[in-house]
Amino acid sequence: YTQWTALKATLAREYTLPADKRRSDLTLLEASISDYENALTSLSAVLKESVSIGKIKWDSIRQKLKEREVAIEFASFRYRAKGGWTDSTLYVALVFRKRDKHPTLVPLCEATQLDSLVNNPQHTNESFITALYRGLEINNKQALSQSKQLFELIWKPLDHLLAAHDVVYFAPSGILNQLAFAAIPWD
């Protein structure tokens, strides 16, 4: 298990590097991880269950949703253009609704846009955090603007797919794990 987690951490680090700076044996590393995972899976029912979670098909999610329920899976990935890998990381949302034949892919923003709002040292002050919470009086126009920008990046692109009384289940990714989604102002 220790070897498996160490190899997975190594692989994750490699994928954060530009393609030309990565190890040349990534395929072997992935194969080793798979071998360890197979061995561990056969030994552990708990691990077997957690690995199988990643193999759930979208249609099984759709079938479990009720009429006014929406599941949103946020994802982030490095963008690959025709010329090769870029240094851009993009955020998207996969929206699952019972009535849809297929999930809807909604492009959201680049990681740098979110990072400039969430991880900016100037934004950790009380006024920025206060601006995120509805029902509080906001006197700081800059903080209000920043929280509105979060809405524009994350919820506005999804707005047309959501109704006023929908129950929304979501799985964040990357920097989105640092946000309190219910606190993002939404008209």
Side-chain angles (χ1 to χ4, degrees):
Y1 176 79
T2 303
Q3 276 298 104
W4 175 67
T5 56
L7 289 174
K8 284 184 63 108
T10 300
L11 183 64
R13 274 192 308 276
E14 289 296 318
Y15 278 130
T16 64
L17 298 173
D20 61 333
K21 295 191 179 183
R22 294 181 189 160
R23 293 169 47 162
S24 59
D25 63 342
L26 283 183
T27 305
L28 290 173
L29 183 60
E30 289 170 342
S32 292
I33 290 169
S34 181
D35 290 344
Y36 276 110
E37 193 171 277
N38 290 335
L40 288 167
T41 300
S42 66
L43 296 172
S44 169
V46 172
L47 183 62
K48 189 174 186 175
E49 182 180 330
S50 70
V51 169
S52 70
I53 288 173
K55 297 178 182 174
I56 293 174
K57 304 288 184 210
W58 81 268
D59 196 45
S60 63
I61 295 170
R62 182 176 64 96
Q63 290 173 8
K64 292 195 185 272
L65 290 173
K66 295 180 180 142
E67 198 54 43
R68 302 297 304 178
E69 294 180 331
V70 179
I72 302 173
E73 181 167 353
F74 293 96
S76 56
F77 58 91
R78 286 204 37 228
Y79 178 69
R80 183 178 168 94
K82 287 183 182 180
W85 290 102
T86 68
D87 62 351
S88 295
T89 298
L90 302 179
Y91 277 86
V92 297
L94 276 171
V95 180
F96 303 83
R97 296 181 300 179
K98 187 156 192 81
R99 65 184 176 271
D100 294 343
K101 188 173 181 180
H102 300 287
T104 303
L105 179 70
V106 180
L108 299 176
C109 61
E110 285 195 44
T112 53
Q113 293 172 288
L114 279 175
D115 197 48
S116 69
L117 290 170
V118 177
N119 287 329
N120 186 330
Q122 297 172 354
H123 298 172
T124 58
N125 62 33
E126 185 179 333
S127 62
F128 174 66
I129 294 167
T130 301
L132 285 179
Y133 291 92
R134 293 169 288 181
L136 297 176
E137 186 176 329
I138 302 169
N139 296 322
N140 183 321
K141 289 185 184 205
Q142 181 184 1
L144 181 60
S145 170
Q146 293 160 349
S147 63
K148 184 175 175 160
Q149 287 173 5
L150 280 175
F151 167 78
E152 298 282 332
L153 294 175
I154 299 167
W155 283 123
K156 187 174 182 181
L158 300 169
D159 206 25
H160 70 284
L161 297 170
L162 304 172
H165 299 289
D166 282 347
V167 174
V168 178
Y169 302 99
F170 63 91
S173 174
I175 200 169
L176 296 178
N177 284 296
Q178 297 177 26
L179 296 177
F181 276 69
I184 297 173
W186 184 3
D187 290 339

